Amino acid sequence: ASTVGAITIASDGDTTFSADLNVGANFDVTGNAVIDGTALVTGVLTTTAATVFNGGFAANEISTITDATSFSAGLSIINTADVHGSVIDFFNNSSSPADDDYIGGLIFKETNSAGGTHSYAKIFGQAVDITDGTEDGAITFETSAAGANTAEIMRITNSSVDIGVSSGASSLRIQSSGNKGLTLRQNTTVDRFNLFVGDGSPNTADENFISSNNTTLHFLGGGSGTTEIAQFKSDGGIIVTPVSGGHAVFNEGDVNADFRVESLNNTHML
């Protein structure tokens, strides 16, 4: 081996630098580069092949992944555990946490027709209550409409799912600013959709449900949820069949007639 200053060249060609190595031009390595300490790169580090970090890595600034392939996995997280898969951990390590802080989220952006960038949708995790022992959290969903900034359209908490309205006392509330409402559609060959109202257990004392097919809307109750008490037909017909001890009450809350039967002619009048 021969040593010149801080450079030692062994008989097999290995070269050791005992001081800093400053490279002012390109530095090409055709074999493996082993760095036992810290590699400080103040410029851009470009790799043309896959980069493997066996010990993990930490990024102190914003990192960007660019991919030109449609529907490609720009970022894949692979876990070989047998029970639990991979997770993404969002940690808002705030020195002054406060209620309603946003912990982290996903923002979905796209270029618009003018070439600008617009946020079309967002998903956030929120710390609603940060009090030790009574912490509450929420997941919020935001969307953009008519070119405006995104606004909250759905919120999930431990007590309710709120769609189109801020959180409240109801377990599920759906609200629209227009005449849109709730559409229930059975996407199978069976032409029936059931809406249960009760404690969630079929055929119990407080169970009632609404059943719909192509021509009739059925209301079932009677204590067990199996007795039909009313039908609303698509041709306008109404059939009311109160259970034993029940009553059919018509009351529109005014001094006018509470129950009226009309006909298009003077025959078959009640």
Side-chain angles (χ1 to χ4, degrees):
S2 61
T3 301
V4 178
I7 304 175
T8 301
I9 302 176
S11 59
D12 59 1
D14 288 347
T15 303
T16 301
F17 298 89
S18 57
D20 292 340
L21 172 63
N22 297 316
V23 179
N26 294 334
F27 180 53
D28 296 328
V29 179
T30 57
N32 296 329
V34 179
I35 301 174
D36 293 329
T38 301
L40 176 61
V41 180
T42 58
V44 177
L45 177 63
T46 302
T47 61
T48 58
T51 303
V52 179
F53 298 93
N54 293 322
F57 73 95
N60 297 322
E61 296 293 340
I62 297 175
S63 299
T64 302
I65 300 175
T66 303
D67 193 339
T69 304
S70 296
F71 286 103
S72 68
L75 175 63
S76 296
I77 303 176
I78 301 174
N79 192 308
T80 58
D82 295 331
V83 180
H84 299 289
S86 302
V87 298
I88 299 178
D89 189 351
F90 295 92
F91 178 32
N92 183 20
N93 190 13
S94 174
S95 60
S96 57
D99 289 349
D100 297 324
D101 276 353
Y102 286 97
I103 301 169
L106 302 174
I107 301 177
F108 302 89
K109 296 180 179 180
E110 168 75 284
T111 52
N112 57 26
S113 60
T117 302
H118 187 76
S119 297
Y120 289 85
K122 299 175 183 177
I123 302 174
F124 288 114
Q126 189 176 24
V128 178
D129 182 359
I130 63 165
T131 305
D132 184 23
T134 62
E135 295 91 342
D136 293 319
I139 296 291
T140 65
F141 297 81
E142 299 183 8
T143 58
S144 173
N149 294 331
T150 59
E152 184 175 315
I153 193 67
M154 180 176 176
R155 171 178 290 258
I156 301 175
T157 69
N158 65 330
S159 60
S160 67
V161 177
D162 300 298
I163 303 175
V165 64
S166 59
S167 59
S170 301
S171 296
L172 173 62
R173 299 194 302 169
I174 300 175
Q175 179 172 308
S176 174
S177 58
N179 56 5
K180 305 178 183 65
L182 174 64
T183 299
L184 303 177
R185 181 174 292 112
Q186 182 83 327
N187 192 24
T188 66
T189 56
V190 181
D191 60 347
R192 184 176 293 274
F193 194 97
N194 297 330
L195 176 62
F196 288 86
V197 180
D199 63 0
S201 302
N203 302 327
T204 56
D206 62 349
E207 184 75 6
N208 300 278
F209 73 92
I210 303 171
S211 177
S212 174
N213 59 23
N214 290 336
T215 60
T216 306
L217 186 64
H218 304 264
F219 290 80
L220 290 86
S224 63
T226 59
T227 303
E228 186 166 77
I229 56 178
Q231 292 183 16
F232 289 81
K233 296 182 174 295
S234 59
D235 60 3
I238 300 175
I239 300 175
V240 179
T241 309
V243 297
S244 177
H247 305 279
V249 179
F250 300 88
N251 190 342
E252 48 82 36
D254 204 344
V255 296
N256 298 323
D258 289 331
F259 181 70
R260 182 173 62 181
V261 179
E262 295 184 357
S263 176
L264 296 178
N265 51 47
N266 294 326
T267 62
H268 302 94
M269 294 290 289
L270 177 62

